[in-house]
Amino acid sequence: MGLNYIVLFVFAPLLILTGILGFILPREKSLTSGAPAYNIFHIVFGLLGLALVYTQNGVWIFNVLFGLADLYQAAASRLHLFPEKQFRWKQADDLLHIVVGSILVLAGVFGS
């Protein structure tokens, strides 16, 4: 098992859990967005990540692309770009996107 596999093995279930908790926790008490579109996004990509872990194909590609998507989301939040209105990010989302996105890109590029 390489670094990319281990990272996605941990990260994919966390994405799913984040999406589910976004539907359960009251939005006003959550540090992160909790917007329905954002929760669905997390669940769908968490399931895709788990499928890639299961098949052991394209894991590094997922890590790089999803990491770049995370970094885009941090920038989009600050620059008021799509999908800001649908995802309704909070400051904690921005910080998480920068940290997680950077880790995923670095793992994807250097973990092969």
Side-chain angles (χ1 to χ4, degrees):
M1 277 194 283
L3 177 63
N4 275 298
Y5 179 87
I6 293 168
V7 167
L8 193 53
F9 181 80
V10 171
F11 181 67
L14 287 176
L15 270 177
I16 296 167
L17 182 62
T18 299
I20 292 169
L21 287 176
F23 283 116
I24 295 171
L25 297 174
R27 195 173 304 151
E28 62 276 357
K29 293 188 180 194
S30 177
L31 293 176
T32 59
S33 168
Y38 193 49
N39 297 333
I40 291 168
F41 174 84
H42 284 121
I43 293 168
V44 167
F45 280 95
L47 291 171
L48 175 60
L50 275 182
L52 293 174
V53 164
Y54 177 73
T55 64
Q56 299 183 6
N57 290 320
V59 172
W60 74 271
I61 295 170
F62 180 92
N63 287 345
V64 170
L65 293 179
F66 198 88
L68 290 173
D70 265 358
L71 294 173
Y72 170 80
Q73 288 182 75
S77 174
R78 292 289 162 213
L79 299 172
H80 308 292
L81 302 172
F82 178 82
E84 180 188 34
K85 291 179 183 170
Q86 293 80 10
F87 283 10
R88 299 189 297 261
W89 297 295
K90 294 182 179 180
Q91 282 186 335
D93 292 306
D94 297 342
L95 179 61
L96 285 169
H97 287 140
I98 292 168
V99 171
V100 172
S102 297
I103 290 169
L104 288 173
V105 169
L106 289 171
V109 171
F110 297 109
S112 296

